[in-house]
Structures are given as C-alpha cells and as structure tokens.
Amino acid sequence: QVHVVESGGGLAQPGGSLRLSCAASGTISEIGFMFWYRQGPGQQREFVASISSGGGSNVLDSVKDRFTISRDSAKKTVYLQMNSLNPEDTAVYYCNADIRTTTDTLFHTLWGQGIQVTVSS
C-alpha cells in the first residue's frame, strides 16, 4: 500500500512560521506532481501550491510572497514553508501526490488526511 502523511501543523501566532511536510511511503515506483491544498472553516478546498518532479513550482498568488514549496525526491517528501502567517491562513492543509506504484503503469492521485494549521494569538 501507498500512503501520504502530513506533519508539522499546529498553532502559530500571527507573523509566525510553520513548515509542513508530506511524506509518501510504500511500494512507489515514481512520484510526479505533488500538491498542497487547504480548506478553511466554511470554505471550499483551494489550491495552495504544486511542484513537479523536476522542481518547477506554482504557488497561489495570494500567498506566494509568504509560502514556498519544495521537495526532496530521495525522501519522497514535499514541504510547505509558511511565513508571516495570519489568521486567514487557518485551515486544514492537505497534501496530494501523483504516484505510480511498482505494480502499475499509471499514476494515481493520493490524498493525505490533512493537518490542522491554526493562526491565533
């Protein structure tokens, strides 16, 4: 089986920073794009950032001055560095990854269970 698991969330003060990690594990042959999404209270899930296997990235315009996505392919891990956090960043953050297993020729998108980020004084 293959899993993606987020970590690094929690409570941050306004102006503070958090670094989210998302690690993929299992019988993985290849990982393509990796993504971060978030869903705030009463809101729809929204795209935050993506990064290709080659390192090309895209970040939501409203956070691109504060958030940075990166990945460590050897560790099968994607990161989201979040700086200058504000209460509007409070949300459940989800990772997903396009993964091809060792027994498949196709990529499948796997979602993590999400991790809470709360920004509050």
Side-chain angles (χ1 to χ4, degrees), residues 7-111:
S7 61
L11 177 65
Q13 291 194 336
S17 298
L18 284 174
R19 187 195 196 203
L20 304 183
S21 300
C22 171
S25 62
T27 54
I28 297 170
S29 178
E30 186 177 357
I31 302 177
F33 274 86
M34 303 183 83
F35 300 82
W36 286 100
Y37 286 77
R38 68 183 181 183
Q39 187 166 13
Q43 298 179 2
Q44 291 189 331
R45 192 172 299 188
E46 68 172 349
F47 167 86
V48 176
S50 65
I51 188 165
S52 71
S53 58
S57 63
N58 187 27
V59 181
L60 179 68
D61 281 348
S62 60
V63 303
K64 68 191 313 178
D65 292 336
R66 302 184 293 117
F67 290 11
T68 303
I69 188 170
S70 61
R71 69 190 280 171
D72 184 332
S73 295
K75 294 182 178 180
K76 301 182 179 64
T77 299
V78 62
Y79 305 96
L80 186 68
Q81 178 67 44
M82 305 185 294
N83 299 326
S84 301
L85 286 163
N86 59 61
E88 289 71 38
D89 297 317
T90 295
V92 178
Y93 285 71
Y94 296 91
C95 166
N96 83 38
D98 295 334
I99 293 175
R100 184 169 65 85
T101 69
T102 56
T103 59
D104 206 336
T105 58
L106 300 176
F107 283 86
H108 300 277
T109 299
L110 273 72
W111 287 86

